PDB file of all heavy atoms in Angstrom:
ATOM      1  N   HIS A 865      24.269  52.790  49.585  1.00  0.00           N
ATOM      2  CA  HIS A 865      24.323  54.079  50.277  1.00  0.00           C
ATOM      3  C   HIS A 865      24.577  53.929  51.766  1.00  0.00           C
ATOM      4  O   HIS A 865      25.533  54.481  52.317  1.00  0.00           O
ATOM      5  CB  HIS A 865      23.028  54.867  50.047  1.00  0.00           C
ATOM      6  CG  HIS A 865      23.033  56.212  50.708  1.00  0.00           C
ATOM      7  ND1 HIS A 865      22.546  56.419  51.980  1.00  0.00           N
ATOM      8  CD2 HIS A 865      23.484  57.415  50.279  1.00  0.00           C
ATOM      9  CE1 HIS A 865      22.686  57.681  52.307  1.00  0.00           C
ATOM     10  NE2 HIS A 865      23.262  58.316  51.287  1.00  0.00           N
ATOM     11  N   ASP A 866      23.709  53.185  52.450  1.00  0.00           N
ATOM     12  CA  ASP A 866      23.849  53.013  53.891  1.00  0.00           C
ATOM     13  C   ASP A 866      24.853  51.910  54.199  1.00  0.00           C
ATOM     14  O   ASP A 866      25.155  51.067  53.360  1.00  0.00           O
ATOM     15  CB  ASP A 866      22.502  52.657  54.520  1.00  0.00           C
ATOM     16  CG  ASP A 866      21.462  53.749  54.309  1.00  0.00           C
ATOM     17  OD1 ASP A 866      21.855  54.925  54.147  1.00  0.00           O
ATOM     18  OD2 ASP A 866      20.259  53.428  54.300  1.00  0.00           O
ATOM     19  N   ASP A 867      25.336  51.889  55.442  1.00  0.00           N
ATOM     20  CA  ASP A 867      26.243  50.807  55.819  1.00  0.00           C
ATOM     21  C   ASP A 867      25.496  49.572  56.293  1.00  0.00           C
ATOM     22  O   ASP A 867      26.121  48.566  56.651  1.00  0.00           O
ATOM     23  CB  ASP A 867      27.236  51.278  56.887  1.00  0.00           C
ATOM     24  CG  ASP A 867      26.573  51.667  58.191  1.00  0.00           C
ATOM     25  OD1 ASP A 867      25.322  51.626  58.282  1.00  0.00           O
ATOM     26  OD2 ASP A 867      27.307  52.030  59.134  1.00  0.00           O
ATOM     27  N   THR A 868      24.161  49.627  56.259  1.00  0.00           N
ATOM     28  CA  THR A 868      23.329  48.525  56.708  1.00  0.00           C
ATOM     29  C   THR A 868      22.382  48.100  55.593  1.00  0.00           C
ATOM     30  O   THR A 868      21.755  48.952  54.940  1.00  0.00           O
ATOM     31  CB  THR A 868      22.499  48.938  57.939  1.00  0.00           C
ATOM     32  OG1 THR A 868      23.383  49.452  58.941  1.00  0.00           O
ATOM     33  CG2 THR A 868      21.736  47.755  58.508  1.00  0.00           C
ATOM     34  N   LEU A 869      22.246  46.801  55.368  1.00  0.00           N
ATOM     35  CA  LEU A 869      21.270  46.289  54.418  1.00  0.00           C
ATOM     36  C   LEU A 869      19.864  46.368  55.011  1.00  0.00           C
ATOM     37  O   LEU A 869      19.694  46.577  56.217  1.00  0.00           O
ATOM     38  CB  LEU A 869      21.597  44.842  54.061  1.00  0.00           C
ATOM     39  CG  LEU A 869      22.917  44.594  53.322  1.00  0.00           C
ATOM     40  CD1 LEU A 869      23.155  43.096  53.175  1.00  0.00           C
ATOM     41  CD2 LEU A 869      22.914  45.275  51.963  1.00  0.00           C
ATOM     42  N   THR A 870      18.861  46.174  54.175  1.00  0.00           N
ATOM     43  CA  THR A 870      17.475  46.263  54.654  1.00  0.00           C
ATOM     44  C   THR A 870      17.157  45.194  55.692  1.00  0.00           C
ATOM     45  O   THR A 870      16.257  45.365  56.501  1.00  0.00           O
ATOM     46  CB  THR A 870      16.489  46.140  53.480  1.00  0.00           C
ATOM     47  OG1 THR A 870      16.777  44.935  52.752  1.00  0.00           O
ATOM     48  CG2 THR A 870      16.620  47.333  52.543  1.00  0.00           C
ATOM     49  N   ASP A 871      17.900  44.092  55.682  1.00  0.00           N
ATOM     50  CA  ASP A 871      17.675  43.042  56.674  1.00  0.00           C
ATOM     51  C   ASP A 871      18.458  43.269  57.960  1.00  0.00           C
ATOM     52  O   ASP A 871      18.451  42.422  58.866  1.00  0.00           O
ATOM     53  CB  ASP A 871      18.006  41.661  56.100  1.00  0.00           C
ATOM     54  CG  ASP A 871      19.458  41.532  55.663  1.00  0.00           C
ATOM     55  OD1 ASP A 871      20.282  42.405  56.013  1.00  0.00           O
ATOM     56  OD2 ASP A 871      19.775  40.550  54.971  1.00  0.00           O
ATOM     57  N   GLY A 872      19.159  44.403  58.049  1.00  0.00           N
ATOM     58  CA  GLY A 872      19.868  44.757  59.271  1.00  0.00           C
ATOM     59  C   GLY A 872      21.334  44.370  59.297  1.00  0.00           C
ATOM     60  O   GLY A 872      22.063  44.768  60.220  1.00  0.00           O
ATOM     61  N   ARG A 873      21.807  43.605  58.339  1.00  0.00           N
ATOM     62  CA  ARG A 873      23.217  43.208  58.338  1.00  0.00           C
ATOM     63  C   ARG A 873      24.107  44.389  57.960  1.00  0.00           C
ATOM     64  O   ARG A 873      23.776  45.162  57.057  1.00  0.00           O
ATOM     65  CB  ARG A 873      23.438  42.047  57.371  1.00  0.00           C
ATOM     66  CG  ARG A 873      22.841  40.721  57.844  1.00  0.00           C
ATOM     67  CD  ARG A 873      23.153  39.615  56.859  1.00  0.00           C
ATOM     68  NE  ARG A 873      22.506  39.851  55.566  1.00  0.00           N
ATOM     69  CZ  ARG A 873      22.901  39.266  54.434  1.00  0.00           C
ATOM     70  NH1 ARG A 873      23.948  38.454  54.423  1.00  0.00           N
ATOM     71  NH2 ARG A 873      22.243  39.505  53.296  1.00  0.00           N
ATOM     72  N   LEU A 874      25.244  44.488  58.628  1.00  0.00           N
ATOM     73  CA  LEU A 874      26.180  45.576  58.400  1.00  0.00           C
ATOM     74  C   LEU A 874      27.145  45.214  57.282  1.00  0.00           C
ATOM     75  O   LEU A 874      27.846  44.191  57.363  1.00  0.00           O
ATOM     76  CB  LEU A 874      26.954  45.887  59.682  1.00  0.00           C
ATOM     77  CG  LEU A 874      26.164  46.579  60.787  1.00  0.00           C
ATOM     78  CD1 LEU A 874      26.923  46.513  62.108  1.00  0.00           C
ATOM     79  CD2 LEU A 874      25.891  48.028  60.414  1.00  0.00           C
ATOM     80  N   LEU A 875      27.207  46.061  56.269  1.00  0.00           N
ATOM     81  CA  LEU A 875      28.081  45.794  55.130  1.00  0.00           C
ATOM     82  C   LEU A 875      29.556  45.636  55.515  1.00  0.00           C
ATOM     83  O   LEU A 875      30.235  44.773  54.955  1.00  0.00           O
ATOM     84  CB  LEU A 875      27.919  46.901  54.083  1.00  0.00           C
ATOM     85  CG  LEU A 875      26.682  46.799  53.199  1.00  0.00           C
ATOM     86  CD1 LEU A 875      26.499  48.083  52.415  1.00  0.00           C
ATOM     87  CD2 LEU A 875      26.788  45.622  52.251  1.00  0.00           C
ATOM     88  N   PRO A 876      30.090  46.438  56.439  1.00  0.00           N
ATOM     89  CA  PRO A 876      31.516  46.281  56.754  1.00  0.00           C
ATOM     90  C   PRO A 876      31.871  44.918  57.347  1.00  0.00           C
ATOM     91  O   PRO A 876      33.061  44.591  57.448  1.00  0.00           O
ATOM     92  CB  PRO A 876      31.771  47.399  57.771  1.00  0.00           C
ATOM     93  CG  PRO A 876      30.730  48.419  57.492  1.00  0.00           C
ATOM     94  CD  PRO A 876      29.518  47.630  57.103  1.00  0.00           C
ATOM     95  N   PHE A 877      30.869  44.125  57.731  1.00  0.00           N
ATOM     96  CA  PHE A 877      31.133  42.808  58.305  1.00  0.00           C
ATOM     97  C   PHE A 877      30.787  41.674  57.335  1.00  0.00           C
ATOM     98  O   PHE A 877      30.903  40.498  57.692  1.00  0.00           O
ATOM     99  CB  PHE A 877      30.356  42.636  59.609  1.00  0.00           C
ATOM    100  CG  PHE A 877      30.797  43.584  60.686  1.00  0.00           C
ATOM    101  CD1 PHE A 877      30.101  44.763  60.908  1.00  0.00           C
ATOM    102  CD2 PHE A 877      31.924  43.326  61.444  1.00  0.00           C
ATOM    103  CE1 PHE A 877      30.520  45.652  61.887  1.00  0.00           C
ATOM    104  CE2 PHE A 877      32.354  44.215  62.424  1.00  0.00           C
ATOM    105  CZ  PHE A 877      31.652  45.381  62.648  1.00  0.00           C
TER     106      PHE A 877
END
Side-chain angles (χ1 to χ4, degrees):
H865 181 268
D866 299 334
D867 64 357
T868 306
L869 295 174
T870 54
D871 61 13
R873 289 182 295 160
L874 288 166
L875 281 169
F877 295 97

